[in-house]
Short mmCIF file of all heavy atoms in Angstrom, two decimals:
data_model
loop_
_atom_site.label_atom_id
_atom_site.label_comp_id
_atom_site.label_asym_id
_atom_site.label_seq_id
_atom_site.Cartn_x
_atom_site.Cartn_y
_atom_site.Cartn_z
N GLY A 5 -2.42 7.05 -2.24
CA GLY A 5 -3.37 6.18 -2.89
C GLY A 5 -4.72 6.28 -2.31
O GLY A 5 -4.91 6.57 -1.06
N LEU A 6 -5.80 5.99 -3.04
CA LEU A 6 -7.15 6.18 -2.47
C LEU A 6 -7.42 5.12 -1.38
O LEU A 6 -8.09 5.44 -0.41
CB LEU A 6 -8.15 5.98 -3.63
CG LEU A 6 -8.04 7.11 -4.73
CD1 LEU A 6 -8.87 6.77 -5.89
CD2 LEU A 6 -8.44 8.44 -4.14
N THR A 7 -6.87 3.92 -1.59
CA THR A 7 -7.15 2.89 -0.52
C THR A 7 -6.58 3.32 0.84
O THR A 7 -7.21 3.20 1.84
CB THR A 7 -6.47 1.54 -0.90
OG1 THR A 7 -6.72 1.27 -2.27
CG2 THR A 7 -6.97 0.43 -0.05
N LEU A 9 -5.75 6.54 1.83
CA LEU A 9 -6.40 7.80 2.34
C LEU A 9 -7.78 7.60 2.83
O LEU A 9 -8.22 8.13 3.82
CB LEU A 9 -6.39 8.84 1.22
CG LEU A 9 -5.05 9.50 0.85
CD1 LEU A 9 -5.15 10.42 -0.35
CD2 LEU A 9 -4.49 10.23 2.09
N PHE A 10 -8.60 6.74 2.11
CA PHE A 10 -10.04 6.72 2.42
C PHE A 10 -10.49 5.46 2.99
O PHE A 10 -11.65 5.26 3.20
CB PHE A 10 -10.84 7.14 1.24
CG PHE A 10 -10.56 8.57 0.78
CD1 PHE A 10 -9.98 8.79 -0.49
CD2 PHE A 10 -10.72 9.69 1.64
CE1 PHE A 10 -9.73 10.14 -0.92
CE2 PHE A 10 -10.44 10.98 1.23
CZ PHE A 10 -9.96 11.16 -0.07
N PRO A 14 -8.47 6.30 7.83
CA PRO A 14 -9.56 6.54 8.84
C PRO A 14 -9.77 5.42 9.71
O PRO A 14 -9.95 5.54 10.96
CB PRO A 14 -10.75 6.78 7.93
CG PRO A 14 -10.34 6.74 6.56
CD PRO A 14 -8.90 6.36 6.44
N TRP A 42 -0.57 -5.96 2.67
CA TRP A 42 -1.31 -5.47 1.50
C TRP A 42 -0.51 -5.39 0.23
O TRP A 42 -0.92 -5.69 -0.89
CB TRP A 42 -1.94 -4.12 1.84
CG TRP A 42 -3.00 -3.59 0.92
CD1 TRP A 42 -2.83 -2.87 -0.22
CD2 TRP A 42 -4.34 -3.87 1.02
NE1 TRP A 42 -4.03 -2.63 -0.80
CE2 TRP A 42 -4.98 -3.16 -0.08
CE3 TRP A 42 -5.19 -4.48 1.94
CZ2 TRP A 42 -6.37 -3.21 -0.29
CZ3 TRP A 42 -6.52 -4.49 1.74
CH2 TRP A 42 -7.12 -3.85 0.65
N PRO A 45 1.81 -9.74 0.20
CA PRO A 45 0.99 -10.79 0.91
C PRO A 45 1.84 -12.02 1.25
O PRO A 45 1.48 -12.69 2.22
CB PRO A 45 -0.14 -11.14 -0.08
CG PRO A 45 0.29 -10.57 -1.37
CD PRO A 45 1.25 -9.45 -1.16
N TYR A 180 -3.75 18.84 19.07
CA TYR A 180 -2.58 19.73 18.57
C TYR A 180 -1.59 18.95 17.78
O TYR A 180 -1.29 19.30 16.67
CB TYR A 180 -1.94 20.43 19.76
CG TYR A 180 -0.72 21.27 19.39
CD1 TYR A 180 -0.81 22.51 18.74
CD2 TYR A 180 0.62 20.79 19.70
CE1 TYR A 180 0.26 23.21 18.32
CE2 TYR A 180 1.72 21.56 19.37
CZ TYR A 180 1.56 22.81 18.70
OH TYR A 180 2.65 23.47 18.36
N PHE A 182 -2.10 16.11 16.46
CA PHE A 182 -2.77 15.57 15.32
C PHE A 182 -2.79 16.59 14.18
O PHE A 182 -2.50 16.33 12.99
CB PHE A 182 -4.22 15.14 15.60
CG PHE A 182 -5.00 14.67 14.41
CD1 PHE A 182 -4.82 13.39 13.96
CD2 PHE A 182 -5.92 15.50 13.79
CE1 PHE A 182 -5.49 12.94 12.84
CE2 PHE A 182 -6.64 15.07 12.65
CZ PHE A 182 -6.39 13.74 12.22
N GLY A 183 -3.07 17.88 14.53
CA GLY A 183 -3.10 18.95 13.51
C GLY A 183 -1.75 19.16 12.90
O GLY A 183 -1.56 19.29 11.67
N ARG A 184 -0.76 19.16 13.75
CA ARG A 184 0.63 19.37 13.18
C ARG A 184 1.05 18.21 12.28
O ARG A 184 1.56 18.48 11.17
CB ARG A 184 1.63 19.43 14.37
CG ARG A 184 1.70 20.74 15.08
CD ARG A 184 2.90 20.90 15.95
NE ARG A 184 4.07 21.06 15.05
CZ ARG A 184 5.30 21.31 15.49
NH1 ARG A 184 5.47 21.41 16.85
NH2 ARG A 184 6.30 21.43 14.71
N ALA A 186 -1.05 16.34 10.67
CA ALA A 186 -1.87 16.39 9.46
C ALA A 186 -1.32 17.39 8.44
O ALA A 186 -1.28 17.10 7.27
CB ALA A 186 -3.30 16.75 9.84
N LEU A 187 -0.89 18.50 8.94
CA LEU A 187 -0.38 19.54 8.02
C LEU A 187 0.88 19.03 7.32
O LEU A 187 1.02 19.16 6.15
CB LEU A 187 -0.02 20.84 8.73
CG LEU A 187 0.36 22.01 7.89
CD1 LEU A 187 -0.86 22.49 7.10
CD2 LEU A 187 0.92 23.17 8.67
N VAL A 190 -0.14 16.49 4.73
CA VAL A 190 -0.72 17.12 3.50
C VAL A 190 0.39 17.64 2.62
O VAL A 190 0.38 17.47 1.34
CB VAL A 190 -1.77 18.13 3.86
CG1 VAL A 190 -2.12 18.96 2.72
CG2 VAL A 190 -2.99 17.51 4.47
N TYR A 213 13.12 9.19 -25.44
CA TYR A 213 13.89 9.58 -26.61
C TYR A 213 15.28 9.10 -26.62
O TYR A 213 15.98 9.13 -27.64
CB TYR A 213 13.98 11.18 -26.69
CG TYR A 213 12.65 11.77 -27.13
CD1 TYR A 213 11.75 12.17 -26.18
CD2 TYR A 213 12.36 11.92 -28.48
CE1 TYR A 213 10.49 12.76 -26.58
CE2 TYR A 213 11.17 12.46 -28.84
CZ TYR A 213 10.23 12.89 -27.90
OH TYR A 213 9.04 13.43 -28.27
N LYS A 391 13.17 20.71 -31.49
CA LYS A 391 11.68 20.89 -31.27
C LYS A 391 11.22 20.30 -30.03
O LYS A 391 10.44 20.84 -29.26
CB LYS A 391 10.93 20.32 -32.51
CG LYS A 391 9.54 20.76 -32.57
CD LYS A 391 9.04 20.76 -34.03
CE LYS A 391 7.72 21.58 -34.20
NZ LYS A 391 6.46 20.73 -34.11
N TYR A 395 9.46 22.05 -26.81
CA TYR A 395 8.17 21.62 -26.36
C TYR A 395 8.15 21.39 -24.88
O TYR A 395 7.29 21.83 -24.10
CB TYR A 395 7.79 20.31 -27.06
CG TYR A 395 6.57 19.68 -26.55
CD1 TYR A 395 5.33 20.15 -26.78
CD2 TYR A 395 6.60 18.50 -25.77
CE1 TYR A 395 4.16 19.60 -26.30
CE2 TYR A 395 5.46 17.94 -25.26
CZ TYR A 395 4.20 18.49 -25.54
OH TYR A 395 3.13 17.87 -25.05
N LEU A 398 8.44 24.71 -22.84
CA LEU A 398 7.27 25.42 -22.75
C LEU A 398 6.11 24.77 -22.00
O LEU A 398 5.36 25.39 -21.34
CB LEU A 398 6.72 25.78 -24.17
CG LEU A 398 7.64 26.84 -24.91
CD1 LEU A 398 7.12 27.08 -26.31
CD2 LEU A 398 7.64 28.15 -24.14
N THR A 399 6.02 23.47 -22.11
CA THR A 399 4.93 22.76 -21.43
C THR A 399 5.26 22.41 -19.98
O THR A 399 4.46 22.22 -19.10
CB THR A 399 4.50 21.48 -22.19
OG1 THR A 399 5.55 20.71 -22.38
CG2 THR A 399 3.85 21.78 -23.49
N LYS A 423 2.62 31.93 9.72
CA LYS A 423 1.99 31.48 10.94
C LYS A 423 1.93 32.57 12.02
O LYS A 423 1.26 32.35 13.03
CB LYS A 423 2.73 30.22 11.51
CG LYS A 423 2.50 29.01 10.69
CD LYS A 423 2.94 27.79 11.44
CE LYS A 423 3.36 26.68 10.37
NZ LYS A 423 4.32 25.76 10.91
N CYS A 429 -2.23 32.64 8.74
CA CYS A 429 -2.62 31.37 9.20
C CYS A 429 -3.89 30.92 8.37
O CYS A 429 -3.91 29.82 7.89
CB CYS A 429 -3.08 31.35 10.62
SG CYS A 429 -1.76 31.17 11.75
N TYR A 433 -4.03 27.72 5.92
CA TYR A 433 -5.08 26.77 6.09
C TYR A 433 -5.74 26.45 4.76
O TYR A 433 -5.91 25.31 4.37
CB TYR A 433 -6.02 27.30 7.13
CG TYR A 433 -7.33 26.53 7.32
CD1 TYR A 433 -7.41 25.47 8.19
CD2 TYR A 433 -8.52 26.92 6.64
CE1 TYR A 433 -8.50 24.78 8.43
CE2 TYR A 433 -9.68 26.20 6.81
CZ TYR A 433 -9.69 25.10 7.72
OH TYR A 433 -10.84 24.45 7.98
N ALA A 436 -3.41 24.70 2.23
CA ALA A 436 -3.19 23.29 2.59
C ALA A 436 -4.37 22.42 2.17
O ALA A 436 -4.26 21.41 1.53
CB ALA A 436 -2.85 23.10 4.04
N MET A 437 -5.57 22.93 2.49
CA MET A 437 -6.78 22.21 2.12
C MET A 437 -7.00 22.12 0.60
O MET A 437 -7.34 21.11 0.08
CB MET A 437 -8.01 22.75 2.78
CG MET A 437 -8.19 22.51 4.25
SD MET A 437 -7.77 20.81 4.77
CE MET A 437 -8.98 19.84 3.98
N VAL A 444 -6.35 14.80 -4.24
CA VAL A 444 -7.39 13.79 -4.52
C VAL A 444 -7.81 13.80 -6.01
O VAL A 444 -7.96 12.72 -6.57
CB VAL A 444 -8.62 14.04 -3.52
CG1 VAL A 444 -9.72 13.12 -3.80
CG2 VAL A 444 -8.21 13.93 -2.12
N ILE A 445 -7.98 14.98 -6.60
CA ILE A 445 -8.35 15.05 -7.95
C ILE A 445 -7.28 14.32 -8.85
O ILE A 445 -7.70 13.48 -9.71
CB ILE A 445 -8.39 16.55 -8.45
CG1 ILE A 445 -9.60 17.20 -7.76
CG2 ILE A 445 -8.49 16.57 -9.94
CD1 ILE A 445 -9.70 18.74 -8.11
N TYR A 446 -6.03 14.51 -8.60
CA TYR A 446 -5.04 13.85 -9.37
C TYR A 446 -4.97 12.39 -9.08
O TYR A 446 -4.67 11.58 -9.98
CB TYR A 446 -3.67 14.50 -9.11
CG TYR A 446 -3.38 15.63 -10.01
CD1 TYR A 446 -3.91 16.87 -9.76
CD2 TYR A 446 -2.58 15.47 -11.12
CE1 TYR A 446 -3.69 18.02 -10.54
CE2 TYR A 446 -2.37 16.53 -12.01
CZ TYR A 446 -2.94 17.80 -11.74
OH TYR A 446 -2.70 18.84 -12.52
N VAL A 448 -7.58 10.44 -8.31
CA VAL A 448 -8.71 9.79 -8.87
C VAL A 448 -8.55 9.70 -10.40
O VAL A 448 -8.88 8.68 -10.98
CB VAL A 448 -9.98 10.60 -8.62
CG1 VAL A 448 -11.15 10.08 -9.34
CG2 VAL A 448 -10.30 10.52 -7.07
N THR A 449 -7.84 10.71 -10.99
CA THR A 449 -7.83 10.70 -12.46
C THR A 449 -6.52 10.21 -13.06
O THR A 449 -6.44 9.93 -14.20
CB THR A 449 -8.10 12.12 -12.97
OG1 THR A 449 -7.05 12.95 -12.43
CG2 THR A 449 -9.45 12.64 -12.61
N GLY A 450 -5.44 10.18 -12.24
CA GLY A 450 -4.14 9.86 -12.81
C GLY A 450 -3.84 8.36 -12.62
O GLY A 450 -4.31 7.75 -11.64
N ASN C 11 -0.78 29.59 17.01
CA ASN C 11 -0.44 28.39 16.25
C ASN C 11 -1.20 27.17 16.76
O ASN C 11 -1.58 26.33 15.98
CB ASN C 11 1.08 28.08 16.39
CG ASN C 11 1.90 28.95 15.37
OD1 ASN C 11 1.32 29.52 14.51
ND2 ASN C 11 3.15 29.02 15.57
N GLU C 12 -1.42 27.18 18.06
CA GLU C 12 -2.15 26.02 18.65
C GLU C 12 -3.54 26.02 18.11
O GLU C 12 -4.00 24.92 17.65
CB GLU C 12 -2.20 26.21 20.16
CG GLU C 12 -2.44 24.87 20.95
CD GLU C 12 -2.31 25.05 22.39
OE1 GLU C 12 -1.40 25.69 22.90
OE2 GLU C 12 -3.31 24.56 23.06
N PHE C 14 -4.53 27.27 15.24
CA PHE C 14 -4.40 26.98 13.85
C PHE C 14 -4.29 25.43 13.62
O PHE C 14 -5.03 24.90 12.83
CB PHE C 14 -3.20 27.68 13.31
CG PHE C 14 -2.77 27.20 11.98
CD1 PHE C 14 -3.55 27.42 10.85
CD2 PHE C 14 -1.60 26.51 11.77
CE1 PHE C 14 -3.17 26.95 9.56
CE2 PHE C 14 -1.18 26.06 10.51
CZ PHE C 14 -1.99 26.29 9.44
N TYR C 15 -3.38 24.85 14.37
CA TYR C 15 -3.20 23.40 14.16
C TYR C 15 -4.42 22.64 14.57
O TYR C 15 -4.81 21.65 13.97
CB TYR C 15 -1.95 22.93 14.98
CG TYR C 15 -0.69 23.30 14.36
CD1 TYR C 15 0.22 24.07 14.99
CD2 TYR C 15 -0.39 22.85 13.05
CE1 TYR C 15 1.45 24.37 14.39
CE2 TYR C 15 0.76 23.13 12.44
CZ TYR C 15 1.72 24.01 13.08
OH TYR C 15 2.88 24.33 12.44
N PHE C 18 -7.00 23.05 11.89
CA PHE C 18 -6.61 22.32 10.75
C PHE C 18 -6.76 20.78 10.92
O PHE C 18 -7.25 20.03 10.08
CB PHE C 18 -5.12 22.59 10.35
CG PHE C 18 -4.77 21.92 9.05
CD1 PHE C 18 -5.02 22.51 7.87
CD2 PHE C 18 -4.06 20.67 9.07
CE1 PHE C 18 -4.71 21.85 6.71
CE2 PHE C 18 -3.71 20.03 7.85
CZ PHE C 18 -4.00 20.70 6.68
N GLY C 19 -6.46 20.37 12.09
CA GLY C 19 -6.58 18.91 12.48
C GLY C 19 -8.04 18.57 12.31
O GLY C 19 -8.31 17.46 11.76
N THR C 21 -10.38 20.00 10.62
CA THR C 21 -10.87 20.06 9.27
C THR C 21 -10.36 18.80 8.43
O THR C 21 -11.15 18.16 7.75
CB THR C 21 -10.25 21.35 8.56
OG1 THR C 21 -10.56 22.42 9.42
CG2 THR C 21 -11.00 21.52 7.22
N PHE C 22 -9.08 18.59 8.59
CA PHE C 22 -8.52 17.42 7.89
C PHE C 22 -9.14 16.12 8.25
O PHE C 22 -9.62 15.35 7.39
CB PHE C 22 -6.98 17.34 8.16
CG PHE C 22 -6.33 16.15 7.50
CD1 PHE C 22 -5.97 16.25 6.11
CD2 PHE C 22 -5.94 15.00 8.20
CE1 PHE C 22 -5.42 15.22 5.49
CE2 PHE C 22 -5.40 13.97 7.51
CZ PHE C 22 -5.04 14.04 6.22
N VAL C 25 -12.67 16.08 6.72
CA VAL C 25 -12.64 15.88 5.28
C VAL C 25 -12.35 14.41 4.95
O VAL C 25 -13.03 13.81 4.13
CB VAL C 25 -11.63 16.82 4.57
CG1 VAL C 25 -11.45 16.39 3.11
CG2 VAL C 25 -12.09 18.26 4.70
N VAL C 26 -11.34 13.89 5.58
CA VAL C 26 -10.90 12.52 5.22
C VAL C 26 -12.06 11.54 5.63
O VAL C 26 -12.48 10.64 4.82
CB VAL C 26 -9.66 12.04 5.91
CG1 VAL C 26 -9.41 10.59 5.83
CG2 VAL C 26 -8.47 12.84 5.37
N LEU C 29 -15.13 12.15 3.26
CA LEU C 29 -15.01 11.64 1.95
C LEU C 29 -14.98 10.13 1.99
O LEU C 29 -15.51 9.46 1.06
CB LEU C 29 -13.65 12.13 1.31
CG LEU C 29 -13.74 13.42 0.59
CD1 LEU C 29 -12.35 13.88 0.13
CD2 LEU C 29 -14.63 13.26 -0.66
N SER C 30 -14.42 9.48 3.04
CA SER C 30 -14.46 8.03 3.08
C SER C 30 -15.89 7.48 3.14
O SER C 30 -16.26 6.62 2.41
CB SER C 30 -13.74 7.49 4.34
OG SER C 30 -12.52 8.15 4.51
N LEU C 60 -5.76 -12.45 -3.53
CA LEU C 60 -5.03 -11.85 -2.39
C LEU C 60 -3.54 -12.19 -2.53
O LEU C 60 -2.69 -11.37 -2.35
CB LEU C 60 -5.53 -12.35 -1.02
CG LEU C 60 -6.85 -11.68 -0.52
CD1 LEU C 60 -7.29 -12.38 0.75
CD2 LEU C 60 -6.58 -10.22 -0.23
N ALA C 61 -3.27 -13.44 -2.92
CA ALA C 61 -1.89 -13.86 -2.99
C ALA C 61 -1.11 -13.20 -4.10
O ALA C 61 0.04 -12.87 -3.91
CB ALA C 61 -1.82 -15.43 -3.17
N MET C 66 -5.90 -6.22 -4.45
CA MET C 66 -5.48 -4.87 -4.00
C MET C 66 -5.44 -3.85 -5.15
O MET C 66 -5.95 -2.79 -5.03
CB MET C 66 -4.08 -4.95 -3.36
CG MET C 66 -4.01 -5.73 -2.04
SD MET C 66 -4.23 -7.49 -2.26
CE MET C 66 -3.16 -8.05 -0.89
N LEU C 69 -8.97 -3.11 -6.23
CA LEU C 69 -9.66 -2.23 -5.30
C LEU C 69 -9.32 -0.85 -5.54
O LEU C 69 -10.22 0.06 -5.55
CB LEU C 69 -9.33 -2.61 -3.85
CG LEU C 69 -10.16 -1.98 -2.78
CD1 LEU C 69 -11.53 -2.49 -2.89
CD2 LEU C 69 -9.62 -2.34 -1.40
N GLU C 70 -8.03 -0.56 -5.81
CA GLU C 70 -7.55 0.87 -6.14
C GLU C 70 -8.26 1.34 -7.36
O GLU C 70 -8.75 2.47 -7.45
CB GLU C 70 -6.06 0.85 -6.24
CG GLU C 70 -5.47 2.18 -6.29
CD GLU C 70 -5.21 2.89 -4.93
OE1 GLU C 70 -5.16 2.10 -3.88
OE2 GLU C 70 -5.22 4.11 -4.85
N GLU C 73 -11.93 2.11 -6.57
CA GLU C 73 -12.12 3.29 -5.87
C GLU C 73 -11.97 4.55 -6.82
O GLU C 73 -12.77 5.55 -6.72
CB GLU C 73 -11.18 3.48 -4.73
CG GLU C 73 -11.52 2.58 -3.58
CD GLU C 73 -10.37 2.35 -2.63
OE1 GLU C 73 -9.30 2.99 -2.89
OE2 GLU C 73 -10.51 1.50 -1.74
N ALA C 74 -11.05 4.52 -7.75
CA ALA C 74 -10.87 5.65 -8.69
C ALA C 74 -12.03 5.73 -9.59
O ALA C 74 -12.48 6.78 -9.81
CB ALA C 74 -9.52 5.49 -9.36
N PHE C 77 -15.39 6.89 -7.87
CA PHE C 77 -15.29 8.11 -7.01
C PHE C 77 -16.52 8.97 -7.33
O PHE C 77 -16.85 9.16 -8.51
CB PHE C 77 -13.98 8.83 -7.27
CG PHE C 77 -13.62 9.78 -6.23
CD1 PHE C 77 -13.04 9.39 -5.00
CD2 PHE C 77 -13.88 11.20 -6.35
CE1 PHE C 77 -12.72 10.26 -3.99
CE2 PHE C 77 -13.59 12.05 -5.39
CZ PHE C 77 -12.98 11.63 -4.17
N ARG C 80 -17.16 11.61 -10.60
CA ARG C 80 -15.88 11.39 -11.35
C ARG C 80 -15.80 12.30 -12.55
O ARG C 80 -14.71 12.81 -12.80
CB ARG C 80 -15.81 9.95 -11.69
CG ARG C 80 -14.45 9.62 -12.32
CD ARG C 80 -14.38 8.20 -12.78
NE ARG C 80 -13.41 7.98 -13.78
CZ ARG C 80 -12.15 7.85 -13.61
NH1 ARG C 80 -11.60 7.80 -12.39
NH2 ARG C 80 -11.32 7.69 -14.65
N VAL C 83 -14.67 15.60 -11.58
CA VAL C 83 -13.28 15.57 -11.13
C VAL C 83 -12.35 15.51 -12.35
O VAL C 83 -11.31 16.21 -12.35
CB VAL C 83 -13.04 14.31 -10.20
CG1 VAL C 83 -11.58 14.19 -9.90
CG2 VAL C 83 -13.87 14.51 -8.98
N ARG C 87 -9.40 18.17 -13.30
CA ARG C 87 -8.00 17.73 -13.55
C ARG C 87 -7.55 18.34 -14.95
O ARG C 87 -6.47 18.88 -14.99
CB ARG C 87 -8.04 16.24 -13.70
CG ARG C 87 -6.75 15.61 -14.26
CD ARG C 87 -5.56 15.79 -13.39
NE ARG C 87 -4.31 15.42 -14.06
CZ ARG C 87 -3.70 14.29 -13.97
NH1 ARG C 87 -4.22 13.26 -13.28
NH2 ARG C 87 -2.57 14.09 -14.58
N LEU C 90 -6.72 21.97 -14.51
CA LEU C 90 -5.50 22.24 -13.84
C LEU C 90 -4.31 21.96 -14.72
O LEU C 90 -3.34 22.71 -14.82
CB LEU C 90 -5.42 21.26 -12.63
CG LEU C 90 -6.15 21.68 -11.35
CD1 LEU C 90 -6.17 20.52 -10.42
CD2 LEU C 90 -5.51 22.90 -10.71
N ASP C 91 -4.40 20.86 -15.50
CA ASP C 91 -3.27 20.54 -16.45
C ASP C 91 -3.05 21.60 -17.41
O ASP C 91 -1.95 21.98 -17.66
CB ASP C 91 -3.67 19.26 -17.17
CG ASP C 91 -3.34 18.01 -16.33
OD1 ASP C 91 -2.58 18.16 -15.37
OD2 ASP C 91 -3.80 16.90 -16.71
N MET C 94 -1.29 24.55 -16.22
CA MET C 94 0.14 24.29 -15.98
C MET C 94 0.88 24.24 -17.31
O MET C 94 2.05 24.07 -17.32
CB MET C 94 0.30 23.06 -15.19
CG MET C 94 -0.18 23.09 -13.79
SD MET C 94 0.80 24.28 -12.87
CE MET C 94 2.32 23.41 -12.81
N GLY C 95 0.16 24.35 -18.42
CA GLY C 95 0.86 24.41 -19.72
C GLY C 95 0.77 23.11 -20.52
O GLY C 95 1.39 23.06 -21.60
N ILE C 98 -0.65 18.57 -24.83
CA ILE C 98 -1.17 17.32 -25.37
C ILE C 98 -1.64 16.38 -24.32
O ILE C 98 -0.90 16.19 -23.39
CB ILE C 98 -0.04 16.59 -26.21
CG1 ILE C 98 0.52 17.48 -27.28
CG2 ILE C 98 -0.57 15.36 -26.82
CD1 ILE C 98 1.57 16.76 -28.10
N HIS C 160 4.89 24.94 -30.48
CA HIS C 160 5.79 23.90 -29.83
C HIS C 160 5.16 22.52 -29.79
O HIS C 160 5.92 21.59 -29.37
CB HIS C 160 6.15 24.43 -28.47
CG HIS C 160 4.97 24.59 -27.56
ND1 HIS C 160 4.11 25.70 -27.69
CD2 HIS C 160 4.39 23.82 -26.61
CE1 HIS C 160 3.21 25.59 -26.80
NE2 HIS C 160 3.33 24.47 -26.11
N VAL C 161 3.90 22.31 -30.16
CA VAL C 161 3.31 21.04 -29.99
C VAL C 161 4.04 20.02 -30.95
O VAL C 161 4.28 20.31 -32.10
CB VAL C 161 1.79 21.11 -30.36
CG1 VAL C 161 1.25 19.74 -30.56
CG2 VAL C 161 1.09 21.80 -29.29
N LEU C 162 4.34 18.89 -30.42
CA LEU C 162 5.08 17.84 -31.15
C LEU C 162 4.06 17.09 -32.07
O LEU C 162 3.32 16.25 -31.59
CB LEU C 162 5.79 16.87 -30.30
CG LEU C 162 6.88 17.54 -29.41
CD1 LEU C 162 7.39 16.55 -28.38
CD2 LEU C 162 7.99 18.06 -30.31
#
Side-chain angles (χ1 to χ4, degrees):
Chain A
L6 296 170
T7 314
L9 287 174
F10 298 118
W42 193 269
Y180 175 73
F182 178 78
R184 283 198 68 178
L187 189 68
V190 168
Y213 286 92
K391 197 152 191 265
Y395 173 73
L398 290 177
T399 52
K423 286 192 208 155
C429 279
Y433 172 86
M437 285 318 296
V444 175
I445 292 176
Y446 272 79
V448 170
T449 58
Chain C
N11 280 345
E12 203 175 310
F14 167 68
Y15 284 119
F18 185 80
T21 313
F22 179 76
V25 168
V26 170
L29 271 174
S30 316
L60 278 175
M66 291 72 148
L69 191 65
E70 191 81 23
E73 285 161 6
F77 198 80
R80 185 181 156 84
V83 173
R87 165 72 192 263
L90 281 169
D91 277 344
M94 291 294 293
I98 302 180
H160 58 282
V161 166
L162 296 173

